[in-house]
Amino acid sequence: MRAAGLLAWLRLARVFQKVDRVATESLRYRQLSPAQVDVLAKVGSSEGISQQELANALLVTKGNVCQLLDKMEGSGLLERRPDGRVNRLFLTDQGRRVHDEVVPSHDAMLAAYFDKLSAQQQRALLRLLRQLDRAI
């Protein structure tokens, strides 16, 4: 029999894959990926964030962020502004419109999956995941 920890990991990965698949499909009409929505959300709430701060916040490499930003800058969603040795990130007017249209509904869709759990269960899950995150 598999250890409970391994089963929990497999279940967590399965839930993530299902949610990620639905999220990807829901964004297709805007030609956005979940990663791009994450960038829109973070830059939209932290205008002037540096590329490195964004990479740290999104738990991805600076190289991955650069590729995302290149594509988003090319689409007119954000701009890089040099500030000494770093680039600061800002949404363009178009990026702000897309942010305001997509991010709240995307966040609501993701949060709705957790409505299957009671508020107490959601808090317990969050506490357990936070505990596991800190232990790793």
Side-chain angles (χ1 to χ4, degrees):
M1 175 127 187
R2 291 184 174 184
L6 177 59
L7 292 174
W9 163 247
L10 293 171
R11 180 62 62 174
L12 183 62
R14 182 176 175 181
V15 168
F16 171 80
Q17 286 176 338
K18 284 181 172 183
V19 171
D20 191 55
R21 195 175 316 123
V22 171
T24 299
E25 186 60 36
S26 74
L27 297 168
R28 193 175 308 259
Y29 80 100
R30 289 294 314 194
Q31 297 179 323
L32 293 169
S33 69
Q36 289 172 314
V37 173
D38 289 345
V39 170
L40 284 172
K42 188 62 182 173
V43 174
S45 68
S46 303
E47 292 274 345
I49 189 172
S50 74
Q51 286 183 213
Q52 186 60 58
E53 290 167 333
L54 179 66
N56 293 343
L58 300 182
L59 305 175
V60 298
T61 67
K62 193 173 178 184
N64 288 345
V65 164
C66 283
Q67 290 177 353
L68 271 171
L69 296 178
D70 287 345
K71 185 172 185 176
M72 294 176 74
E73 193 170 33
S75 299
L77 297 174
L78 60 80
E79 62 181 352
R80 295 173 171 117
R81 296 182 195 161
D83 179 20
R85 297 180 65 175
V86 300
N87 283 321
R88 301 276 172 201
L89 304 171
F90 297 87
L91 296 181
T92 62
D93 290 341
Q94 177 186 349
R96 177 59 58 192
R97 284 190 301 274
V98 172
H99 171 280
D100 293 348
E101 176 190 333
V102 173
V103 171
S105 60
H106 182 74
D107 288 354
M109 179 196 72
L110 295 176
Y113 287 115
F114 289 88
D115 288 345
K116 292 10 174 211
L117 302 174
S118 69
Q120 181 180 0
Q121 289 171 322
Q122 289 179 42
R123 286 190 300 275
L125 177 60
L126 181 59
R127 181 181 50 78
L128 292 169
L129 290 172
R130 187 180 304 119
Q131 182 180 347
L132 183 59
D133 183 32
R134 289 178 178 157
I136 295 176

